[in-house]
Amino acid sequence: MDPNPTDDPYLWLEDVQGERALRWVREHNARTEQVLQATPGFEATRASLREVLDSQGQIPYVTRRGRWLYNLWRDAEHPRGLWRRATLDEYRRREPAWETVIDVDALARAEGENWVWGGATALGPEYRRCLVALSRGGADARVVREFDTEQRRFVEGGFALPEAKSQLEWIDADHVYVGTDFGPGSMTASGYPRVIKRWARGQPLALAETVFEARADDVYAWASVDATPGHERTVFGRALDFYTVQLSLLQDGRLVPIDKPADAKLAFHRAWVLIELRSDWALGGRTWPGGSLLVGDAAAYLRGERGLTALFTPTATRSLAGWSATAGAVLLDVLDNVASRVEEWTCPGAGAWQRREVHAPYPGHLSVTALHDPLLEDDPLAEAYLLNVADFLRPDSLQLGRTGSDERQTLKSRPAFFDAEGLRVEQHFARSKDGTRVPYFVIWPRGAKADGDHPTLLYGYGGFEVSMTPFYSGIVGRAWTARGGVYVLANIRGGGEFGPAWHQAAVKAHKQHSFDDFEAVAEHLIATRVTRPARLAIEGGSNGGLLVGAVMLQRPELFNGVVCQVPLLDMRRYTRLLAGASWMAEYGDPDRPEEWAWIARYSPYQNVRADMKLPRVLFTTSTRDDRVHPGHARKMAARMQAQGHDLLYWENTEGGHGGAADNAQRAQMQALEYAFLWQQLGQRA
């Protein structure tokens, strides 16, 4: 099977803003809303979900910049958001007196734009000047403008970029490194910056000096400036693919390659270098396994010395989820059978690194973020960190801790958005086709027993080394489990739950393992009488949309409903659509016959046939998704509809890859999805 893409009868649906395509979208949106909004209780569900999203009880998560903690807050009165700040002392209060820095809604009204907040890059240690990114409708492409946080205004004549997928990094108050769309040849095939220039204040962008270039077939190029006193470093990088990176250090005006394994992540922190391995590394008579985190003296490492210490090495059940560094310690997020633990490593003086396990709730999900600002010489928060604690039934709490102690202060807590009394969580293991044990979590509704008749929603992702960990969701609780539904979260290969090897077992020619694992979980749910096919639905987004699209075709008899969100589906053309070329390290190159041979076996768009008996599917996407092209979902829906399959399609006009630009849009989208699920699976009589 090797169809000619130009023979595709639905190619016109890839014209994102084409009138014919938009007319098709409007017609399908109207039908879907008519069908699903008629579901009993739809309006009440939408209002309930909006209440959760807009709740003043949500935790205002923060980013530290000097003496300020910054937060982007959205609610019913501020759907686009308030970018605001408070000191730590103020943040400790039950109701902090926030200072508004930018009112995104007011700015959008004043400028006649549908702005969505895209983040800010601040110049330390004062953090007065910021490069503020604003997106039209939630797209990845953004407009960037310099902003003064003290005067609360954009800087006249300051740094500014038109809409593009750009990369900006402060050098000093009057210079930045910039990668953007400079014109033909300046972007990679993936649509990201290929050329990095040094740009001076007041200088026309066209005159900025090129200082670094990647190749056209790389994913992107970037620059990173570390201004830590005594440890100043500027690093340039080329992402050769999604997992392979080449780094160069700027020394005395020239670029010096940094030696490391090609697929390893390398970062500097003060006097340390930290290297996170994806593959085994033979070094100095021993081999460090993939998934390890190594640390060493940065200056010695750059001289060619390799005296490294392992802060973490994986086991069959333990993997590294991430790390964060204070002034004197490295804090590790460790997954232990897909539940979190935190470890603290310190190196006093010239001594050996010492490990301490931080006492924290288990099992559940923990995420730790150091508050240390390395640009401040006498940082009062040098050893402080934030710990977020959550699980499926317990609302998140945000705690302030310090290294060397297990005492923490709870700063913020979410309210309980649903009654969890009588609900329970279990972890089980399915056996995949090749014998691999695949874990999954089951959240049981109140009073539920294994009688084989529960409406059950199975969610999965299985790609890009992304782990599916326990989380608290007022949306899932209110719309599903509190109403009698079973929710299942699968930890299939392709994710990162058990480290890089778990991911690498399901890439390229081995992608089928993700689908086999997901199908095995579904089979196990049926075999253990959690549910039956008529009461089982699957859901996934992005790579997870590919997952459910493929599984829907391979094992349609297992399911009675599919929610396929912002999906990849046409794997013959995915590399030619928006950022698709950047994912070839995950899926392979369909233009190479030997690689298309394995992709062709599962690509949903090429494998759907009229003679298949398929479960009903709801496709959702966004016109403004400039990461995964909405043409994937459009074309799949059009082809299936022409073949006589029953489906629904809904495309939000805004939202980018997240599918929604504000809480009202998100509540509408999710209410439609749950209305579809209840229609398909029905409630117990």
Side-chain angles (χ1 to χ4, degrees), residues 81-369:
L82 295 174
W83 192 44
R84 58 188 190 172
R85 67 186 186 184
T87 63
L88 177 58
D89 287 342
E90 189 65 34
Y91 185 69
R92 294 177 197 264
R93 297 177 182 271
R94 183 178 179 85
E95 296 185 4
W98 293 94
E99 294 185 18
T100 297
V101 181
I102 297 178
D103 183 330
V104 182
D105 296 272
L107 179 66
R109 288 191 298 270
E111 297 185 347
E113 295 277 8
N114 59 338
W115 290 134
V116 175
W117 182 253
T121 303
L123 176 63
E126 293 82 10
Y127 300 101
R128 175 173 177 170
R129 293 292 179 92
C130 294
L131 300 168
V132 168
L134 297 165
S135 161
R136 291 185 175 96
D140 285 354
R142 292 161 184 174
V143 171
V144 180
R145 285 186 277 172
E146 186 178 358
F147 188 84
D148 188 317
T149 60
E150 297 302 320
Q151 296 187 2
R152 308 285 204 279
R153 63 174 179 83
F154 289 101
V155 177
E156 186 175 351
F159 293 108
L161 290 175
E163 185 177 59
K165 294 183 179 180
S166 302
Q167 195 265 344
L168 279 159
E169 181 81 350
W170 288 102
I171 301 172
D172 55 39
D174 294 316
H175 300 85
V176 297
Y177 289 120
V178 56
T180 191
D181 188 349
F182 299 111
S186 65
M187 305 293 275
T188 67
S190 300
Y192 296 106
R194 186 187 70 80
V195 177
I196 303 297
K197 298 190 177 190
R198 192 176 191 272
W199 187 20
R201 182 177 299 281
Q203 181 185 42
L205 183 59
L207 299 181
E209 174 192 6
T210 297
V211 294
F212 186 75
E213 294 187 56
R215 290 174 28 171
D217 59 353
D218 288 345
V219 177
Y220 60 94
W222 78 94
S224 175
V225 177
D226 183 351
T228 303
H231 304 289
E232 294 87 353
R233 303 180 185 94
T234 297
V235 174
F236 292 89
R238 287 177 55 206
L240 281 65
D241 60 36
F242 210 83
Y243 308 107
T244 305
V245 174
Q246 288 183 357
L247 301 177
S248 297
L249 183 69
L250 184 63
Q251 289 185 323
D252 300 323
R254 63 189 184 94
L255 292 175
V256 179
I258 299 175
D259 179 50
K260 70 172 186 66
D263 62 351
K265 304 175 188 177
L266 182 147
F268 296 104
H269 179 72
R270 298 172 67 90
W272 307 329
V273 61
L274 293 106
I275 303 172
E276 190 173 344
L277 301 180
R278 282 198 175 99
S279 304
D280 294 353
W281 189 19
L283 186 67
R286 67 170 301 171
T287 298
W288 301 107
S292 298
L293 178 66
L294 311 179
V295 66
D297 179 87
Y301 185 86
L302 292 173
R303 290 194 301 268
E305 301 173 25
R306 294 296 180 262
L308 300 173
T309 298
L311 301 187
F312 181 84
T313 53
T315 69
T317 60
R318 287 167 59 90
S319 64
L320 182 67
W323 59 270
S324 187
T326 66
V330 178
L331 299 165
L332 307 186
D333 284 345
V334 175
L335 285 183
D336 186 352
N337 269 321
V338 205
S340 300
R341 299 186 188 275
V342 175
E343 296 180 4
E344 176 186 309
W345 285 82
T346 56
C347 185
W353 285 86
Q354 298 178 359
R355 174 187 175 276
R356 188 180 76 86
E357 184 161 337
V358 177
H359 181 70
Y362 181 88
H365 180 67
L366 309 172
S367 59
V368 60
T369 305

